Amino acid sequence: MKRISAPRRTASLSAQLVDSLRSHIEAGGWPVGTRIPPEHALIEELGVGRSTLREAIGALVHLGLLEPRAGDGTYVCSSSELQSVMVRRASSTQRDKVLELRTVLEEYASGAAALRRSESQLRQLRELLADADAACAGEDPAAATGVDALFHRAVVRASGNDLLIEVYDHLGTALTASLGGLPWDAVHAGEHARLHRRLVDAIEARDAGGARDAAAAIVRLTRDHETDTPRAAGEQ
């Protein structure tokens, strides 16, 4: 029987431009938080018409990668559509459920990291612990939150699971955005630091069970802190 010939398809110029700009953003050409060049500059650089550029920019806005700001241009708000979707999804989900997801990912990753970590990865974890201590000593909550996010990403990378690393790289921003911003008192902050040192000690000792237990304890502490800290009206 003669096979049906599939129709030939060629991507439109605007679709090609969407792919090109998306790749540029994903590669860090336009970092998150920066304003993209003005329309006239992009038209000249890319050699496309105004309508084609506007269609492509609109598509990237719809995907959640770009955000137009009236009177101030267009800004990069996410490096991938998956990350954008996960940030929005996590922000509209009860925090208990976000914490459950974090437990699943970080508990497994910590156990795997204990078995697969390299010496350089272990050194990086120790350096991040020192950075976290410095941020706490300087009473800089934003810096402490940033270092904590880097620490947990480093643990996941030490797991050696490429797919888990890729998923967590997207979810990490969502978790930080959803769970960050609460003040830590001295008691919680001290216990938080102790558990992180316990996690790194277990990873160094290649104690997978101990690493999983420490990771789960860190999330439990965060949940307890969430429960004990008063919230503004309307927060979940």
Side-chain angles (χ1 to χ4, degrees), residues 41 64 189 235:
E235 290 191 59

Side-chain angles (χ1 to χ4, degrees), residues 1 7-8 10 34 38 70 72 74 107 114 126 135 141 147 151 158 171 183 189 201 207 210-212 218 225 231:
M1 180 180 295
R8 293 182 179 179
T10 56
T34 61
D72 193 27
T74 301
E107 189 174 344
R126 291 289 184 194
V147 174
F151 174 86
L171 287 174
D201 288 344
D207 177 4
R212 287 194 297 269
I218 290 170
H225 179 49
R231 296 197 159 278

Side-chain angles (χ1 to χ4, degrees), residues 83 87 153 168-178:
Q83 183 184 90
V87 169
R153 280 192 173 95
Y168 193 86
D169 276 345
H170 293 302
L171 287 174
T173 299
L175 295 174
T176 301
S178 178

Side-chain angles (χ1 to χ4, degrees), residues 107-228:
E107 189 174 344
Y108 175 83
S110 297
L115 300 176
R116 300 170 183 165
R117 55 84 180 165
S118 67
E119 290 300 319
S120 63
Q121 288 169 330
L122 182 62
R123 284 196 299 274
Q124 182 187 26
L125 291 174
R126 291 289 184 194
E127 290 168 1
L128 288 169
L129 284 183
D131 290 344
D133 288 342
C136 289
E139 297 184 350
D140 187 343
T145 298
V147 174
D148 189 65
L150 290 174
F151 174 86
H152 289 286
R153 280 192 173 95
V155 171
V156 174
R157 288 194 177 96
S159 74
N161 184 319
D162 291 341
L163 182 57
L164 176 60
I165 293 167
E166 183 177 355
V167 170
Y168 193 86
D169 276 345
H170 293 302
L171 287 174
T173 299
L175 295 174
T176 301
S178 178
L179 299 175
L182 290 180
W184 287 76
D185 57 36
V187 174
H188 279 102
E191 180 66 4
H192 191 255
R194 187 189 70 79
L195 288 174
H196 280 67
R197 287 192 294 271
R198 176 178 145 195
L199 171 57
V200 176
D201 288 344
I203 290 174
E204 180 175 17
R206 301 196 184 277
D207 177 4
R212 287 194 297 269
D213 289 345
I218 290 170
V219 181
R220 283 197 301 271
L221 178 68
T222 303
R223 180 181 291 112
D224 292 344
H225 179 49
E226 292 269 315
T227 301
D228 294 342

Side-chain angles (χ1 to χ4, degrees), residues 25-139:
I25 292 171
E26 289 177 349
W30 292 338
V32 173
T34 61
R35 182 173 57 187
I36 71 172
E39 185 179 87
H40 66 85
L42 288 174
I43 289 173
E44 183 177 348
E45 179 181 353
L46 300 170
V48 298
R50 180 176 286 103
S51 61
T52 298
L53 177 63
R54 288 181 176 178
E55 186 177 347
I57 295 297
L60 293 173
V61 170
H62 180 72
L63 290 172
L65 302 186
L66 298 178
E67 176 189 17
R69 299 180 187 176
D72 193 27
T74 301
Y75 285 76
V76 180
C77 56
S78 179
S79 61
S80 76
E81 54 261 51
L82 176 57
Q83 183 184 90
S84 175
V85 168
M86 290 309 304
V87 169
R88 290 198 303 270
R89 186 68 179 89
S91 65
S92 63
T93 300
Q94 291 181 344
R95 292 189 176 219
D96 279 351
K97 293 181 180 178
V98 177
L99 285 165
E100 286 179 6
L101 175 60
R102 180 178 171 181
T103 301
V104 170
L105 295 176
E106 295 186 4
E107 189 174 344
Y108 175 83
S110 297
L115 300 176
R116 300 170 183 165
R117 55 84 180 165
S118 67
E119 290 300 319
S120 63
Q121 288 169 330
L122 182 62
R123 284 196 299 274
Q124 182 187 26
L125 291 174
R126 291 289 184 194
E127 290 168 1
L128 288 169
L129 284 183
D131 290 344
D133 288 342
C136 289
E139 297 184 350

